[in-house]
Amino acid sequence: MTERYDVVIIGGGPAGAGASYELADAGAKVLVIEKAKYPRPKLCAGCISKRSVDLFPAFSIKNSIKGGILGFKGQEFVEKVSDECAVIVDREEFDHFLISKAQEKGAHLLEETTVKEIELTPTVRKVITDKGVFEADYVIGADGYHSVTRKSIACKSASRKFFIAIEVKVPKDMFKDFKEDEVLIDIGVVKKGYGWYFPQGEFVNIGIATAEKEDLLNIFKAYTKNHKLFP
């Protein structure tokens, strides 16, 4: 028997989990379909703007950010503010927290499930998965770069390249000149890419990403050495 919902949400990241929380809180019958199982790792520095904080239920904050450094070809441009302008979260914890709050409001969650196709008719939307078919009045596509939702509604997108990245978490006491309220985004340290440093609780999240085929490991080693990130 096909199950029917008011809304089916594909993807359980902050967008999907946040939408499910609001809809369930308003009384809608909601299903979130997530391809992984919570808590799941997510390559992300976890920076959320101050404007966005109030959109979510109260959550655990690792750091309060009051400034940032934009690096470009060896030059650094610093901006500091007196008040909090962003916060840092751990995405593995944050995403799990959000979907748990949505479930408390009555949202249904289906994990480790792959969406294969979405069929659209004038009266219903059918979400076809490897675990069955689910009908809904509305479908929200929060399924990221490889969006099945976009493909199913034949929405064309501009040609884009994949980014590849390396991200590591280093204990903050190993980091030189640690600043718990400041982030760094470094443009141009790699072709068509950037590097970053974000404080994250007891750790520092350091990474580098590019759209080019590069020897990222050696570039990353050179990046941390050139910037003297470690003692």
Side-chain angles (χ1 to χ4, degrees):
M1 181 177 177
T2 301
E3 294 186 63
R4 180 70 179 256
Y5 293 87
D6 296 319
V7 184
V8 169
I9 299 173
I10 303 171
S20 67
Y21 175 88
E22 294 293 337
L23 288 166
D25 188 43
K29 184 180 180 182
V30 182
L31 172 66
V32 179
I33 300 176
E34 166 61 37
K35 65 181 179 181
K37 182 175 179 60
Y38 294 97
R40 77 275 197 272
K42 180 68 176 179
L43 198 156
C44 179
C47 188
I48 299 177
S49 71
K50 179 63 175 176
R51 289 183 178 182
S52 301
V53 170
D54 294 336
L55 298 177
F56 299 106
F59 54 86
S60 175
I61 294 172
K62 299 295 183 182
N63 294 80
S64 175
I65 302 302
K66 296 183 178 180
I69 300 173
L70 176 64
F72 181 70
K73 294 184 177 180
Q75 299 185 62
E76 291 187 349
F77 305 89
V78 182
E79 180 175 352
K80 295 284 286 186
V81 294
S82 58
D83 298 321
E84 180 181 83
C85 59
V87 299
I88 300 292
V89 300
D90 182 302
R91 278 292 305 277
E92 186 171 344
E93 296 176 6
F94 181 64
D95 291 16
H96 191 201
F97 168 81
L98 282 182
I99 199 66
S100 297
K101 286 297 182 182
Q103 288 179 284
E104 289 177 11
K105 293 293 183 179
H108 300 263
L109 172 64
L110 189 59
E111 299 173 281
E112 297 180 293
T113 302
T114 300
V115 175
K116 296 181 176 180
E117 186 182 358
I118 302 171
E119 291 184 1
L120 305 179
T121 74
T123 58
V124 70
R125 283 78 178 135
K126 291 184 178 181
V127 180
I128 302 168
T129 78
D130 59 352
K131 292 184 179 177
V133 178
F134 304 91
E135 294 184 348
D137 296 322
Y138 300 94
V139 171
I140 295 177
D143 43 345
Y145 186 90
H146 297 288
S147 176
V148 175
T149 312
R150 175 182 59 79
K151 294 175 183 176
S152 294
I153 62 175
C155 179
K156 294 182 179 180
S157 63
S159 177
R160 294 176 292 180
K161 289 185 176 181
F162 285 102
F163 263 71
I164 55 175
I166 290 178
E167 177 186 86
V168 297
K169 286 185 178 180
V170 180
K172 67 180 184 181
D173 57 4
M174 290 179 58
F175 198 86
K176 185 179 180 181
D177 300 326
F178 173 76
K179 295 182 177 64
E180 65 179 14
D181 64 349
E182 194 171 271
V183 300
L184 164 68
I185 298 176
D186 229 343
I187 307 297
V189 296
V190 61
K191 291 180 181 178
K192 296 184 180 180
Y194 58 95
W196 68 85
Y197 143 77
F198 283 66
Q200 197 172 77
E202 295 301 310
F203 297 89
V204 177
N205 183 309
I206 307 169
I208 194 167
T210 177
E212 293 291 309
K213 292 182 178 180
E214 299 281 352
D215 184 355
L216 267 195
L217 182 58
N218 282 327
I219 292 174
F220 181 74
K221 289 178 180 178
Y223 174 62
T224 57
K225 182 178 180 180
N226 291 341
H227 283 257
K228 300 178 181 179
L229 296 179
F230 304 110

